[in-house]
Amino acid sequence: MKKHGGNVFAFAKEHKISLDQVIDFSANINPLGLVDGLKKHLIEKETAWLNYPDPNYCDLRKTIADFEGVESQEVVVGNGAIECLFLIAETLKPKKVLIQAPTFIEYERAFKKVGSEIEFMKLNHEDFIPNLQAIDPTNYDTIIICNPNNPTGILIHKSSLIQMIKRCKKTQTFVLIDEAFIDFLVDEKEYSLVSELKEHQNLIILKSLTKFFAVPGLRLGYLLTSSKEIVDNIEEYRIPWTINGLAVETGQYVLRQERYIEETKIFIQSEREWLTTALKKIRYLKVFDSCVNYIFFYSEISNLHELLFPYHIMIRDCSNYENLYKGYYRIAVKNRTNNEILIQALHEIENQRSDYGNY
Ligand SMILES: Cc1ncc(COP(=O)(O)O)c(C=O)c1O
């Protein structure tokens, strides 16, 4: 069975509680919830229910292209960024792929599925910052970088990525940058490589709309590349209509919500700062600074997720990631009420443990 964050259904069933009793810190979803008016818009948009979606998704691609400042023909839409990931793996079918460890676990599955050999670049546990200069692109057909990285929250500067992409161009190595969480940054443009697309045909960028706009159940994401060959290849062989009519409408609706976008970035920044400061006061945690809507930490209490069960709190146990082990966790930044509940629970666990002497 695949292990991801956010399986509230299994958690509720296992702990015999209702879904709305679960406090889910394991999925990194915008705590501001749905964009105002979206539900009403979808209910009223009967054409999206009654018709097949446009198989070329022309309007949606144009909306995304305008939002990103690229051309429509540089956009491939998918049923979540995850579909784009599997599509790109099928299209590139690289012999050898370099993946950081730890990082989002689906890269390995997507590329193993098409027979690629996977090499892991193990990140050091001091700061989890990758040494991009040490990568020799001659050894790889594709290199994947998640920026900011999931689960660590580490952000790499644009200039070092561009240097690597240039080196990769010489060896015809593709670079896949997953920017699924970059939209949570206040200074997103400083870090996103979208402005570099035209310059580098070996660059592919993945983006997700499910996290930022809190619609993981609706599923919508896209990839961007200036390589016409890649786009044509994907479009020629993909399954039609994988993005349903409601997701198409959602994409077109949410990308125009400038106020929600701005409010989210500011809310996440201040709430993350509050939560990070509060977490750092808990003695058994080593907290890594993050720039996004989730925080990564190491806990000396290695079964912390289990101790949070009685509080109905789910956190992401990261022990199944490559190059991590028991004690590593990731939590989402949620609203203040829920963040306080988590901090309170973590303090209670600390107090119970120190009563017994150690942890
Ligand atoms: C880094 C990263 N990329 C891509 C995805 C897939 O996102 P989507 O919901 O758009 O399929 C996830 C989902 O958790 C993720 O963490």
Short mmCIF file of all heavy atoms in Angstrom, two decimals, residues 4 28 79-83 104 107 146 148 150 178 180-181 206-211 216 219-221 330, ligand 1:
data_model
loop_
_atom_site.label_atom_id
_atom_site.label_comp_id
_atom_site.label_asym_id
_atom_site.label_seq_id
_atom_site.Cartn_x
_atom_site.Cartn_y
_atom_site.Cartn_z
N HIS A 4 1.21 7.91 2.00
CA HIS A 4 1.33 9.35 1.82
C HIS A 4 0.74 10.02 3.04
O HIS A 4 0.12 9.37 3.87
CB HIS A 4 0.52 9.79 0.60
CG HIS A 4 1.17 9.47 -0.70
ND1 HIS A 4 2.23 10.16 -1.19
CD2 HIS A 4 0.90 8.51 -1.62
CE1 HIS A 4 2.60 9.64 -2.34
NE2 HIS A 4 1.82 8.64 -2.63
N ASN A 28 -0.37 18.84 3.18
CA ASN A 28 0.03 20.25 3.15
C ASN A 28 -0.94 21.09 2.34
O ASN A 28 -0.63 21.55 1.24
CB ASN A 28 1.42 20.38 2.54
CG ASN A 28 2.41 19.49 3.25
OD1 ASN A 28 2.39 19.37 4.47
ND2 ASN A 28 3.27 18.84 2.48
N ASN A 79 -4.30 15.57 -14.32
CA ASN A 79 -5.15 15.25 -13.17
C ASN A 79 -4.25 15.27 -11.92
O ASN A 79 -3.84 14.24 -11.41
CB ASN A 79 -5.76 13.86 -13.41
CG ASN A 79 -6.76 13.49 -12.35
OD1 ASN A 79 -6.44 13.46 -11.16
ND2 ASN A 79 -7.96 13.21 -12.75
N GLY A 80 -3.94 16.49 -11.51
CA GLY A 80 -2.94 16.69 -10.46
C GLY A 80 -1.55 16.72 -11.10
O GLY A 80 -1.36 16.20 -12.21
N ALA A 81 -0.61 17.33 -10.39
CA ALA A 81 0.77 17.32 -10.87
C ALA A 81 1.25 15.88 -11.03
O ALA A 81 2.12 15.57 -11.84
CB ALA A 81 1.66 18.07 -9.88
N ILE A 82 0.63 15.00 -10.27
CA ILE A 82 1.06 13.60 -10.30
C ILE A 82 0.87 12.97 -11.67
O ILE A 82 1.72 12.21 -12.13
CB ILE A 82 0.32 12.79 -9.19
CG1 ILE A 82 1.11 11.56 -8.81
CG2 ILE A 82 -1.08 12.43 -9.57
CD1 ILE A 82 2.34 11.86 -8.07
N GLU A 83 -0.22 13.33 -12.36
CA GLU A 83 -0.40 12.77 -13.70
C GLU A 83 0.70 13.30 -14.63
O GLU A 83 1.25 12.56 -15.45
CB GLU A 83 -1.78 13.11 -14.28
CG GLU A 83 -1.98 12.36 -15.59
CD GLU A 83 -3.19 12.75 -16.42
OE1 GLU A 83 -3.81 13.79 -16.16
OE2 GLU A 83 -3.50 11.98 -17.35
N PHE A 104 9.97 13.79 -2.44
CA PHE A 104 8.64 13.25 -2.73
C PHE A 104 8.76 11.82 -3.31
O PHE A 104 9.50 11.62 -4.28
CB PHE A 104 7.95 14.19 -3.72
CG PHE A 104 6.56 13.83 -4.11
CD1 PHE A 104 5.61 13.50 -3.15
CD2 PHE A 104 6.18 13.84 -5.45
CE1 PHE A 104 4.30 13.19 -3.52
CE2 PHE A 104 4.88 13.55 -5.82
CZ PHE A 104 3.94 13.22 -4.85
N TYR A 107 8.44 10.22 -7.37
CA TYR A 107 9.38 10.29 -8.50
C TYR A 107 9.94 8.90 -8.78
O TYR A 107 10.05 8.46 -9.91
CB TYR A 107 10.56 11.24 -8.22
CG TYR A 107 10.18 12.63 -7.77
CD1 TYR A 107 10.86 13.26 -6.73
CD2 TYR A 107 9.14 13.33 -8.39
CE1 TYR A 107 10.52 14.54 -6.32
CE2 TYR A 107 8.80 14.60 -7.97
CZ TYR A 107 9.48 15.20 -6.93
OH TYR A 107 9.15 16.46 -6.51
N CYS A 146 13.15 18.80 -6.34
CA CYS A 146 11.90 19.32 -5.79
C CYS A 146 12.26 20.62 -5.07
O CYS A 146 13.06 20.62 -4.14
CB CYS A 146 11.34 18.29 -4.81
SG CYS A 146 9.73 18.69 -4.16
N PRO A 148 10.55 24.18 -3.46
CA PRO A 148 11.15 23.70 -2.22
C PRO A 148 10.92 22.20 -2.06
O PRO A 148 9.91 21.67 -2.53
CB PRO A 148 10.40 24.46 -1.13
CG PRO A 148 9.58 25.51 -1.81
CD PRO A 148 9.42 25.10 -3.22
N ASN A 150 10.09 18.61 -0.67
CA ASN A 150 9.14 17.94 0.22
C ASN A 150 9.80 16.63 0.64
O ASN A 150 10.16 15.86 -0.24
CB ASN A 150 7.84 17.66 -0.55
CG ASN A 150 6.83 16.90 0.28
OD1 ASN A 150 7.01 16.71 1.47
ND2 ASN A 150 5.77 16.45 -0.36
N ASP A 178 10.33 20.30 -9.62
CA ASP A 178 8.97 20.22 -9.09
C ASP A 178 8.73 21.44 -8.19
O ASP A 178 9.28 21.54 -7.10
CB ASP A 178 8.80 18.91 -8.31
CG ASP A 178 7.37 18.72 -7.84
OD1 ASP A 178 6.58 19.68 -7.87
OD2 ASP A 178 7.05 17.59 -7.41
N ALA A 180 5.79 22.30 -6.89
CA ALA A 180 4.42 22.10 -6.40
C ALA A 180 4.08 23.02 -5.22
O ALA A 180 2.90 23.34 -5.01
CB ALA A 180 4.22 20.64 -5.99
N PHE A 181 5.09 23.43 -4.46
CA PHE A 181 4.81 24.25 -3.26
C PHE A 181 5.36 25.67 -3.37
O PHE A 181 5.25 26.44 -2.42
CB PHE A 181 5.40 23.57 -2.01
CG PHE A 181 4.67 22.30 -1.64
CD1 PHE A 181 5.18 21.07 -1.98
CD2 PHE A 181 3.47 22.37 -0.96
CE1 PHE A 181 4.50 19.90 -1.65
CE2 PHE A 181 2.78 21.22 -0.61
CZ PHE A 181 3.30 19.98 -0.96
N LEU A 206 7.14 21.30 -12.91
CA LEU A 206 5.86 20.73 -12.47
C LEU A 206 5.19 21.71 -11.52
O LEU A 206 5.84 22.27 -10.64
CB LEU A 206 6.11 19.46 -11.66
CG LEU A 206 6.11 18.10 -12.31
CD1 LEU A 206 6.19 17.04 -11.21
CD2 LEU A 206 4.88 17.88 -13.17
N LYS A 207 3.88 21.87 -11.65
CA LYS A 207 3.13 22.74 -10.74
C LYS A 207 1.83 22.05 -10.34
O LYS A 207 1.24 21.32 -11.13
CB LYS A 207 2.76 24.05 -11.46
CG LYS A 207 3.95 24.92 -11.79
CD LYS A 207 4.06 26.02 -10.79
CE LYS A 207 5.11 27.03 -11.19
NZ LYS A 207 4.95 28.30 -10.51
N SER A 208 1.40 22.36 -9.14
CA SER A 208 0.17 21.76 -8.63
C SER A 208 -0.79 22.87 -8.21
O SER A 208 -0.35 23.89 -7.68
CB SER A 208 0.50 20.89 -7.42
OG SER A 208 -0.69 20.50 -6.78
N LEU A 209 -2.08 22.66 -8.43
CA LEU A 209 -3.06 23.64 -7.93
C LEU A 209 -3.80 23.10 -6.72
O LEU A 209 -4.59 23.79 -6.09
CB LEU A 209 -4.07 24.00 -9.03
CG LEU A 209 -3.49 24.76 -10.22
CD1 LEU A 209 -4.56 25.08 -11.25
CD2 LEU A 209 -2.83 26.05 -9.77
N THR A 210 -3.55 21.83 -6.38
CA THR A 210 -4.36 21.18 -5.34
C THR A 210 -4.02 21.67 -3.94
O THR A 210 -4.89 21.74 -3.08
CB THR A 210 -4.17 19.65 -5.38
OG1 THR A 210 -2.83 19.34 -5.04
CG2 THR A 210 -4.50 19.09 -6.73
N LYS A 211 -2.76 22.01 -3.73
CA LYS A 211 -2.33 22.38 -2.38
C LYS A 211 -2.68 23.83 -2.08
O LYS A 211 -3.30 24.14 -1.08
CB LYS A 211 -0.82 22.18 -2.23
CG LYS A 211 -0.43 20.73 -2.32
CD LYS A 211 0.76 20.54 -3.22
CE LYS A 211 0.92 19.13 -3.72
NZ LYS A 211 0.47 18.09 -2.85
N PRO A 216 -7.40 19.16 -3.20
CA PRO A 216 -6.72 17.90 -3.53
C PRO A 216 -7.69 16.83 -4.04
O PRO A 216 -7.31 15.93 -4.78
CB PRO A 216 -6.07 17.48 -2.21
CG PRO A 216 -6.83 18.18 -1.15
CD PRO A 216 -7.30 19.48 -1.77
N ARG A 219 -8.29 17.47 -8.03
CA ARG A 219 -7.14 17.08 -8.83
C ARG A 219 -6.87 18.01 -10.02
O ARG A 219 -7.58 17.98 -11.01
CB ARG A 219 -7.28 15.63 -9.38
CG ARG A 219 -7.86 14.60 -8.45
CD ARG A 219 -6.95 14.28 -7.28
NE ARG A 219 -5.62 13.95 -7.70
CZ ARG A 219 -4.53 14.60 -7.27
NH1 ARG A 219 -4.62 15.56 -6.38
NH2 ARG A 219 -3.34 14.26 -7.70
N LEU A 220 -5.85 18.80 -9.93
CA LEU A 220 -5.44 19.63 -11.07
C LEU A 220 -4.00 20.09 -10.91
O LEU A 220 -3.60 20.62 -9.86
CB LEU A 220 -6.37 20.85 -11.20
CG LEU A 220 -6.16 21.72 -12.44
CD1 LEU A 220 -6.34 20.93 -13.72
CD2 LEU A 220 -7.12 22.91 -12.44
N GLY A 221 -3.23 19.87 -11.97
CA GLY A 221 -1.84 20.32 -11.97
C GLY A 221 -1.39 20.52 -13.41
O GLY A 221 -2.17 20.28 -14.35
N ARG A 330 6.89 15.47 9.38
CA ARG A 330 6.54 16.72 8.69
C ARG A 330 5.12 17.10 9.12
O ARG A 330 4.25 16.23 9.23
CB ARG A 330 6.55 16.48 7.17
CG ARG A 330 6.38 17.74 6.34
CD ARG A 330 5.98 17.40 4.91
NE ARG A 330 4.67 16.80 4.90
CZ ARG A 330 4.24 15.93 3.97
NH1 ARG A 330 5.01 15.58 2.97
NH2 ARG A 330 3.02 15.43 4.04
C1 LIG B 1 6.33 17.61 -4.20
C2 LIG B 1 5.03 17.16 -4.76
N1 LIG B 1 4.86 17.18 -6.08
C3 LIG B 1 3.70 16.78 -6.63
C4 LIG B 1 2.66 16.33 -5.87
C5 LIG B 1 1.38 15.91 -6.52
O1 LIG B 1 0.43 16.94 -6.39
P1 LIG B 1 -1.01 16.86 -7.02
O2 LIG B 1 -1.98 16.83 -5.92
O3 LIG B 1 -1.14 18.11 -7.85
O4 LIG B 1 -1.08 15.64 -7.87
C6 LIG B 1 2.80 16.28 -4.49
C7 LIG B 1 1.72 15.78 -3.63
O5 LIG B 1 1.82 15.65 -2.44
C8 LIG B 1 4.02 16.71 -3.92
O6 LIG B 1 4.22 16.68 -2.60
#
